[in-house]
Amino acid sequence: MRVEIWSDIACPWCYVGKARFEKALAAFPHRAGVEVVHRSFELDPGRAKGDVQPVLAMLTAKYGMSEAQAHAGEDNLGAQAAAEGLDYRTRGRDHGSTFDMHRLLHLAKERGRQEALLDALYRANFADERSVFGDDERLVELAVAAGLDADAARDVLADPTAYADEVRADEDEAARLGATGVPFFVLDRAYGVSGAQPAEVFARALTQAWGERTPLKLVDDGGAEACGPDGCAVPGAENPR
């Protein structure tokens, strides 16, 4: 079974939701049979690379919150993160474009390091003091920490077209599936779970999706020869060779 997760590094609920999903997945009896794929989604796709601002300023401007409301929201997110064992800085973070991070995540996917890089980016954005925005070398450091080659990461960051189509394809697919926000979880293209749901909700979704998988329906092959564990059928022979 495949679980696809659309998320954005700038999304605090994606950070929390990933931890809750992983808690459910770790306890799932069929964990070994579940493939997890992370897909791109930008909450602020039109933001220029150099346009970086404090999170609280972004919240008050974009959502019309008062400064007190923005502070309260961050405090609540900090508490939710702490409940999942995650570090979260409620003050002093900033916000910017995540497009380059998503491009690096596609490189990491090719190299088998996607999960490691995503975790590194989340920790850096939500827990570390040093910003992840507007500094390519910071992203290179995180890529290397996740097991990627520094020069390969620099090459991607230096070429704005590298993996850009892959990022846009993920975002287009999210729109086709009806995702208007993240995190968005799709189980075997049959079930969707929106938001940072409790681990119990993810556990029920995994169980339901696993139990309702549709067996493959075979078209009548008319007795055509085939190979199996015991060998290959040979026309006219008594036993397979």
Side-chain angles (χ1 to χ4, degrees):
M1 182 170 72
R2 170 179 281 197
V3 178
E4 298 163 278
I5 307 173
W6 275 263
S7 60
D8 191 12
I9 300 91
C11 164
W13 288 118
C14 296
Y15 181 47
V16 173
K18 184 175 187 292
R20 292 175 177 172
F21 172 76
E22 288 174 347
K23 183 182 295 184
L25 186 61
F28 186 54
H30 308 287
R31 170 65 186 94
V34 179
E35 175 193 12
V36 178
V37 177
H38 295 279
R39 300 205 180 278
S40 302
F41 190 106
E42 295 170 275
L43 289 173
D44 204 350
R47 183 176 286 264
K49 182 173 182 175
D51 184 5
V52 181
Q53 68 179 138
V55 164
L56 291 176
M58 180 274 292
L59 291 172
T60 56
K62 186 173 182 178
Y63 301 106
M65 295 180 176
S66 67
E67 188 170 315
Q69 288 173 322
H71 278 296
E74 283 294 284
D75 289 340
N76 175 58
L77 280 162
Q80 298 275 353
E84 303 303 330
L86 302 172
D87 293 328
Y88 189 98
R89 293 178 64 231
T90 60
R91 302 291 185 273
R93 292 189 302 106
D94 56 14
H95 176 78
S97 170
T98 57
F99 185 58
D100 283 351
M101 299 179 210
H102 285 294
R103 296 194 300 115
L104 282 177
L105 283 166
H106 277 279
L107 168 68
K109 181 181 176 182
E110 284 188 354
R111 308 292 169 87
R113 305 303 301 167
Q114 187 186 47
E115 190 86 27
L117 180 57
L118 183 59
D119 285 340
L121 290 169
Y122 274 143
R123 284 193 302 270
N125 185 40
F126 291 109
D128 293 352
E129 290 189 14
R130 186 177 170 190
S131 176
V132 295
F133 300 103
D135 182 356
D136 283 357
E137 281 305 303
R138 172 62 166 151
L139 296 183
V140 171
E141 289 176 13
L142 294 170
V144 170
L148 293 174
D149 177 73
D151 288 339
R154 287 192 184 97
D155 287 345
V156 169
L157 293 171
D159 178 4
T161 67
Y163 299 101
D165 288 345
E166 287 81 351
V167 174
R168 299 304 183 214
D170 278 354
E171 293 173 336
D172 289 345
E173 186 68 6
R176 283 193 290 272
L177 290 171
T180 57
V182 285
F184 187 67
F185 302 77
V186 177
L187 290 74
D188 253 7
R189 292 295 173 106
Y191 295 93
V193 179
S194 181
Q197 300 287 346
E200 295 78 12
V201 173
F202 288 122
R204 288 198 300 271
L206 286 166
T207 299
Q208 184 172 357
W210 184 272
E212 296 184 11
R213 289 173 303 153
T214 303
L216 187 67
K217 295 181 179 179
L218 294 176
V219 176
D220 184 6
D221 61 9
E225 293 79 11
C227 294
D230 297 324
C232 298
V234 179
E238 187 172 332
N239 299 307
R241 61 178 175 85

